[in-house]
Amino acid sequence: MGTDDKVAYIAALAGAGLTRIEAVSFVHPRLVPQMADAEQVMARVPRRDGLSYIGLIVNERGLERALDSGVDEVNVTVVATETLSRRNQRMSVAGALGSFAAVSARAHAAGLRVTATVGAAFGCPFEGEVPPGQVAAIVRRCAEAGADEIALADTIGVGVPADVRHLTEAVRAVTDLPLRFHFHNTRNTGYANALAAVEAGASALDASSGGIGGCPFAPAATGNIATEDLAYALRRSRIRTGADLRRLTEAAAFIGERLGSPVPALLGRAGDFPPP
């Protein structure tokens, strides 16, 4: 997809009332060519007070690109298992933790907020179950290295609400940092998990407009829970998000047209309730 369409898409999401947008990913363009124009996108996205742009990075080279592009936050991934870490980031878990410490220090020195996202926190496509204590140990290291926020990612969408509660308890035993959750809807449990995360004290939830996305290094990983479907569920649960559902569904329709395929989200098909 072209840079023009990416910028228009991000502008539509900002216009729908979103205030934190992970707009770009500073990964190696050979590995993820879809994100090769991150700098060009960041140079053209709309700016306003209260709107924060996040760049996803995996190493110090990615941080250098992020700093040059003017992002407000960086999201740094540390995978919970050795196999996926080596496939996803070409480094061991220990190496990723060392890299996170270096990235965190440099990002803070530049005035950026830093999130540590623990990938495959609920399960790994190669190693299976991931013990909560294993995730908590990684979270502790990231908190000690200066993370401002911890995100727990169900990269392949295997978790259920009970897993959310158990993992939250394990992580809360090692840090009181704000918790963000990242759910893929691979097995149709993502929205139940998101509501369970809110009940467990989540400060933020990741979602993807239209439910698009996935993980190129995790077999069978589908898209994240859809922003508009999540916003609907939260509003019906009496939780205010500040998001405009109509404009969110319009943004999802836009991206579906550009990708040439209907998006997985359902709100755009079923409509809001009660009807406007």
Side-chain angles (χ1 to χ4, degrees):
M1 191 168 65
T3 303
D4 289 348
D5 286 336
K6 292 177 184 178
V7 172
Y9 179 41
I10 293 166
L13 295 172
L18 302 186
T19 57
R20 295 178 76 192
I21 300 176
E22 187 172 284
V24 289
S25 177
F26 297 99
V27 293
H28 198 294
R30 179 176 57 81
L31 298 176
V32 189
Q34 302 95 319
M35 300 295 177
D37 60 346
E39 287 87 351
Q40 290 81 5
V41 171
M42 284 304 303
R44 295 172 50 192
V45 292
R47 302 279 187 168
R48 68 165 189 265
D49 290 342
L51 174 58
S52 183
Y53 286 113
I54 305 169
L56 176 67
I57 64 175
V58 296
N59 53 35
E60 289 190 76
R61 173 58 186 142
L63 176 64
E64 291 171 3
R65 294 177 60 197
L67 293 175
D68 290 341
S69 74
V71 298
D72 304 292
E73 310 179 39
V74 289
N75 182 16
V76 189
T77 301
V78 178
V79 180
T81 64
E82 289 293 339
T83 307
L84 186 56
S85 181
R86 292 182 184 277
R87 288 179 179 241
N88 189 60
Q89 294 172 243
R90 307 300 191 265
M91 65 178 77
S92 66
V93 175
L97 286 168
S99 177
F100 175 80
V103 165
S104 179
R106 289 185 59 192
H108 282 133
L112 272 60
R113 176 183 170 97
V114 179
T115 296
T117 292
V118 183
F122 291 80
C124 173
F126 306 105
E127 298 184 21
E129 298 284 356
V130 178
Q134 183 171 319
V135 175
I138 293 172
V139 168
R140 184 196 294 273
R141 291 279 302 277
C142 291
E144 292 171 348
D148 298 300
E149 176 185 61
I150 299 294
L152 302 174
D154 188 2
T155 307
I156 57 172
V158 295
V160 298
D163 298 322
V164 175
R165 291 188 289 270
H166 295 153
L167 187 56
T168 301
E169 290 171 1
V171 168
R172 275 285 168 247
V174 301
T175 184
D176 59 359
L177 285 173
L179 289 184
R180 183 167 115 197
F181 287 81
H182 177 101
F183 295 114
H184 287 253
N185 202 39
T186 312
R187 291 164 179 81
N188 212 32
T189 58
Y191 300 97
N193 291 341
L195 294 176
V198 170
E199 293 176 355
S203 62
L205 296 168
D206 285 355
S208 172
S209 172
I212 64 172
C215 177
F217 308 106
T222 60
N224 294 92
I225 55 176
T227 309
E228 59 270 37
D229 291 359
L230 175 62
Y232 172 83
L234 292 172
R235 193 200 67 198
R236 294 285 293 179
S237 301
R238 306 296 188 266
I239 298 168
R240 296 183 62 185
T241 65
D244 183 315
L245 293 186
R246 178 184 62 81
R247 297 184 75 172
L248 284 178
T249 56
E250 289 173 353
F254 171 86
I255 201 63
E257 291 173 0
R258 294 305 186 275
L259 293 174
S261 176
V263 296
L266 296 176
L267 190 70
R269 305 179 208 178
D272 198 3
F273 183 84

